[in-house]
Amino acid sequence: MHRIAVVPGSFDPVTLGHLDVIGRAAGLFDELHVLVVHNPAKTALLPIAQRVSLLEQAIREQGLPDNILVTSWSVGLLVDYCTEVGASVLVKGIRSQVDVAYETPMAIVNRDLAGVETVFLLPNPAHAHVSSSLVRQVSALGGDVSPYVPAAVANYLQSRGD
Ligand code: PNS
């Protein structure tokens, strides 16, 4: 059986924490789709196409497995994408109890809607404090984000003057 899993998220921008989870998930499934999804609850920093491009560069930069595909989805439910590509599993990284509280209702709704299961992976503790929102804030205030993001993202944010 060819198992396809999806790692969805805003990835605004992708962090080393995301890449840790993506790399680990790629080893568990035949195909891993990293899906950039607009989250209406958040104010975006980067356009979706730029987030996809930075993810692709970062995955190459880190030498992650080549069963990873990066794409985006903006026309409906996350599980509609899963149904369209034949994915049966969502993968999410869980850093804390706050993430558990945030992710649990979404996991239950996604299973109710389409029978898609969610697998939670624990991150490398070195990245447990890293989040895109923290990176956006540090970057906007002129701080150095290079310990938290891949070089492609650090260079891009620096070149934008963020
Ligand atoms: O990185 P984020 O912002 O925490 O990711 C959240 C995301 C984009 C995965 C979530 O908002 C989502 O699944 N959006 C798609 C819309 C959807 O399907 N909603 C209903 C089920 S939760």
Side-chain angles (χ1 to χ4, degrees):
M1 188 179 198
H2 188 79
R3 285 241 176 238
I4 303 175
V6 175
V7 182
S10 304
F11 302 108
D12 187 30
V14 60
T15 67
L16 294 179
H18 292 132
L19 291 164
D20 169 45
V21 169
I22 291 167
R24 204 139 358 101
L28 298 174
F29 298 94
D30 299 304
E31 227 177 284
L32 189 73
H33 296 203
V34 179
L35 191 68
V36 179
V37 185
H38 172 64
N39 184 343
K42 293 180 178 172
T43 306
L45 173 68
L46 306 178
I48 298 267
Q50 189 60 50
R51 298 183 220 169
V52 169
S53 166
L54 289 170
L55 265 160
E56 284 170 342
Q57 291 174 54
I59 285 165
R60 244 179 286 129
E61 189 185 291
Q62 305 255 322
L64 297 188
D66 61 8
N67 62 340
I68 303 172
L69 169 93
V70 183
T71 188
S72 62
W73 183 248
S74 56
V75 293
L77 291 166
L78 174 57
V79 292
D80 293 340
Y81 177 85
C82 295
T83 303
E84 192 164 299
V85 300
S88 52
V89 176
L90 293 166
V91 178
K92 299 281 188 89
I94 289 288
R95 292 162 298 188
S96 66
Q97 289 300 323
V98 175
D99 283 349
V100 175
Y102 174 66
E103 296 293 349
T104 300
M106 291 198 281
I108 293 169
V109 168
N110 286 326
R111 193 175 56 208
D112 286 348
L113 286 169
V116 174
E117 294 286 359
T118 300
V119 169
F120 294 126
L121 292 184
L122 297 176
N124 178 335
H127 303 308
H129 58 292
V130 178
S131 67
S132 296
S133 59
L134 191 99
V135 167
R136 289 198 297 275
Q137 194 175 106
V138 171
S139 177
L141 297 173
D144 176 19
V145 295
S146 59
Y148 312 123
V149 295
V153 170
N155 294 337
Y156 176 76
L157 292 177
Q158 208 170 17
S159 73
R160 269 174 52 118
D162 282 326

